[in-house]
């Protein structure tokens, strides 16, 4: 280890980190170019040529010109993903096949009817047994 001192190890780690960061930013911009619906095909092709042929200048110009809308597209995509996930959860846990609410809601309604005196204990038990079958 005499010919590779500790400071060189830290410098190499910093360079590796910066390369990874650079590629992350480059791929983020390329995916944003294709995801953007407000650009025409020619504009997308122009940005791609600029980013690929002159990467440093192309990435900096893209971030300066379209950075704010890039963030808005990220937020919108996250919102759509969350809404789709919540919809999937609702469908998976969904209402019972008995029509309308879940068993818990139906049992709560029955308990309220029994407490208010609208149905008797016997009617309550029959309806509860029917729900739980």
């Amino acid at each position: 280890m005499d010919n590779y001192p500790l400071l060189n190890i830290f410098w190499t780690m910093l360079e590796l980190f910066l390369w990874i960061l650079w590629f992350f930013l480059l791929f983020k911009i390329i995916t944003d170019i294709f995801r953007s619906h407000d650009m025409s095909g020619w504009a997308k092709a122009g940005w791609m040529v600029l980013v690929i042929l002159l990467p440093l200048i192309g990435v900096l110009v893209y971030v300066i010109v379209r950075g704010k809308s890039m963030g808005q597209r990220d937020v919108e995509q996250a919102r759509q993903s969350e809404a789709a996930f919540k919809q999937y959860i609702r469908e998976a846990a969904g209402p019972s096949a008995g029509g309308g609410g879940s068993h818990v809601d139906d049992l709560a309604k029955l308990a309220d009817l029994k407490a208010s005196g609208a149905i008797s204990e016997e009617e309550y038990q029959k309806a509860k047994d029917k729900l739980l079958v």
Side-chain angles (χ1 to χ4, degrees), residues 24-94:
F24 176 78
L25 180 62
L26 186 65
F27 291 132
K28 179 88 171 141
I29 287 175
I30 289 172
T31 57
D32 187 68
I33 289 171
F34 286 111
R35 183 176 56 183
S36 179
H37 297 293
D38 60 337
M39 282 196 296
S40 68
W42 288 106
K44 290 179 183 183
W47 277 114
M48 285 299 296
V49 167
L50 184 64
V51 166
I52 290 173
L53 293 181
L54 300 170
L56 184 61
I57 294 170
V59 165
L60 289 176
V61 170
Y62 189 86
V63 169
I64 290 169
V65 173
R66 298 186 50 87
K68 185 176 181 180
S69 62
M70 187 166 76
Q72 292 170 346
R73 279 187 293 280
D74 282 342
V75 168
E76 182 61 30
Q77 180 162 357
R79 189 175 297 127
Q80 288 175 355
S81 295
E82 184 178 357
F85 178 72
K86 286 182 179 179
Q87 180 64 28
Y88 170 75
I89 295 295
R90 276 190 223 105
E91 288 174 2

Side-chain angles (χ1 to χ4, degrees), residues 1 5 14 20 32 38 48 61 71 88 97 121 129-130:
M1 273 286 194
L14 178 65
I20 291 170
D32 187 68
D38 60 337
M48 285 299 296
V61 170
Y88 170 75
E121 178 66 34
D129 291 340
K130 187 176 179 182

